[in-house]
Amino acid sequence: GEGEQIFSVRATPLKGRVMLAFEDLSQTEAAQQIRRDFVANVSHELKTPLTALMGFIETLRGPARNDETARERFLAIMERETARMNRLVNDLLSLSRVEAVARQRPSDEVDVPRLLASALNALRPIAEEAGVEVVFDLPEDLPPVPGDADQLTQVFTNLIENALKYGASGKRIEVRVTREERVASLKGPALRCEVRDFGYGIDPIHIPRLTERFYRVDSHRSREMGGTGLGLAIAKHIIARHRGRFAIESKPGEGARFTVFLPVGAGQGG
Ligand code: ADP
C-alpha cells in the first residue's frame, strides 16, 4: 500500500559472515510503480470523456448538423462530460496540494460542529433534491481542534455528498459530533465526527480499499453520479495530516458509517 516502507534484503556471505544489507525501496521501485499506475489511471480517466467529446463534436459537424433535437441532447452530454473532467482536475489539484503540506502541522483553531453545520447548509439543496432528510447533532460546547479549516470542510463535504449520492435510498442521513475522553489509538481525547446513511451500504470486502485513488465499488454507478474516485483518498490524506483516524463501517443493505476522529490539542483537553 501507499506510504509503507518497503525494504529489500540482500544477504551476502563475506568472510564466513553474512552481511545483511537493507535497502529502502520505498522511494525507488515501489514508489515508481505506484506513480506509474497513478499516471496510467489519470490518463485513462481523462481519455474516456475526451473520446466521448471528440465523437460528439464529429457527429455535430456531420450527421446531426441540421437536427435541432439531437444537437441539444448531445450538447447536454458534452456539458456533463466537461463538468466531470473539471471535477477530476480539481480533485487532482486538491490531492497534490494536500500532499504538498502533508508534513506541516495544521494551525487553525477549528470549531468542528460549526464547520459541519455550514457544510450541511451548503449541501441542503442537494439533500432536498434527493429527498433525503438530514438529522444532525452538533453541540456548541465542544473544544476546538487544531486543524486546517478548508481541508476539514473538504473531508466532511465529501462524506456528506457520498451519503447523499450512494445512501439516498435510505431517505435519511445523520451527522453528529461527540467528544470522546480517550480514543485508544490516539492516546487521548478526540472529537468523534460521524456521517451515517441508511442506503445500500458497502460489501465489507471493499472497505479496506475504498481510500485508494480511483477505487470504486461500482465504477459505472460512480461515473453516473459524477464521481471521480478520489474523494476518500483525499479525505484519508487530510485526516492523516491531522493525526486523526478514519473508520468505515457498513452492513450491506443497512447503510454505511464514516467516522473521523480528530485529536483535541494538548492543553485544551480539560
Ligand atoms: P467517488 O467519486 O466515486 O464517489 P470516493 O472516493 O468518494 O469516490 O468513494 C469511493 C467509492 O466508495 C465510491 O465509488 C462508492 O463505491 C463507495 N462509497 C463511498 N461512500 C459510500 C456510501 N455512503 N455508501 C456506499 N458506497 C459508498
Side-chain angles (χ1 to χ4, degrees):
E2 283 166 53
E4 284 166 29
Q5 297 268 79
I6 297 157
F7 291 98
S8 81
V9 184
R10 281 196 316 263
T12 326
L14 182 73
K15 287 188 185 159
R17 287 193 309 194
V18 174
M19 287 280 295
L20 287 180
F22 291 87
E23 189 187 350
D24 185 353
L25 287 187
S26 57
Q27 289 311 308
T28 57
E29 282 154 52
Q32 276 170 28
Q33 186 59 48
I34 288 169
R35 183 149 295 274
R36 276 196 297 271
D37 289 349
F38 181 62
V39 171
N41 279 328
V42 170
S43 309
H44 175 76
E45 297 286 334
L46 286 169
K47 190 90 190 158
T48 310
L50 271 176
T51 305
L53 286 173
M54 286 183 339
F56 284 118
I57 289 170
E58 221 153 85
T59 314
L60 285 173
R61 280 229 168 101
R65 184 191 285 270
N66 298 313
D67 184 338
E68 182 85 20
T69 328
R71 202 167 61 208
E72 282 311 310
R73 200 159 56 84
F74 292 159
L75 284 172
I77 301 172
M78 289 167 77
E79 194 170 36
R80 204 180 62 205
E81 291 296 308
T82 311
R84 205 155 65 78
M85 278 173 67
N86 195 39
R87 266 195 303 277
L88 175 61
V89 172
N90 283 337
D91 276 357
L92 289 167
L93 288 171
S94 287
L95 198 56
S96 94
R97 274 196 299 267
V98 171
E99 283 181 336
V101 296
R103 284 172 213 289
Q104 288 164 33
R105 282 255 194 160
S107 57
D108 304 338
E109 288 278 296
V110 183
D111 180 340
V112 176
R114 217 168 129 179
L115 185 147
L116 265 161
S118 72
L120 276 176
N121 205 32
L123 295 172
R124 205 198 316 224
I126 298 177
E128 274 168 17
E129 192 174 335
V132 174
E133 179 197 7
V134 180
V135 177
F136 55 90
D137 183 8
L138 303 169
E140 284 174 10
D141 56 351
L142 296 175
V145 301
D148 180 315
D150 290 340
Q151 287 191 345
L152 291 177
T153 298
Q154 207 177 343
V155 170
F156 293 124
T157 298
N158 186 260
L159 296 181
I160 298 163
E161 273 175 350
N162 279 352
L164 294 172
K165 276 197 298 195
Y166 303 107
S169 61
K171 295 288 162 213
R172 177 166 59 106
I173 68 167
E174 295 179 359
V175 176
R176 63 172 57 87
V177 183
T178 51
R179 188 195 151 103
E180 300 254 306
E181 282 320 310
R182 197 185 140 78
V183 172
S185 62
L186 293 174
K187 300 188 174 74
L191 294 187
R192 178 180 197 287
C193 320
E194 180 185 308
V195 176
R196 186 168 184 200
D197 70 66
F198 301 88
Y200 50 77
I202 306 159
D203 191 308
I205 58 161
H206 295 291
I207 289 180
R209 300 196 59 192
L210 284 189
T211 58
E212 287 176 20
R213 292 160 190 193
F214 298 118
Y215 190 86
R216 295 143 161 144
V217 173
D218 175 346
S219 52
H220 177 73
R221 194 182 171 96
S222 160
R223 274 172 234 272
E224 282 284 290
M225 303 267 185
T228 63
L230 292 173
L232 294 178
I234 294 170
K236 180 182 85 167
H237 281 274
I238 293 174
I239 295 162
R241 181 183 175 217
H242 286 75
R243 292 160 198 257
R245 293 287 180 271
F246 191 22
I248 306 174
E249 298 152 276
S250 178
K251 273 205 189 125
E254 291 179 24
R257 171 162 46 195
F258 293 77
T259 312
V260 179
F261 296 93
L262 294 170
V264 176
Q268 296 155 357

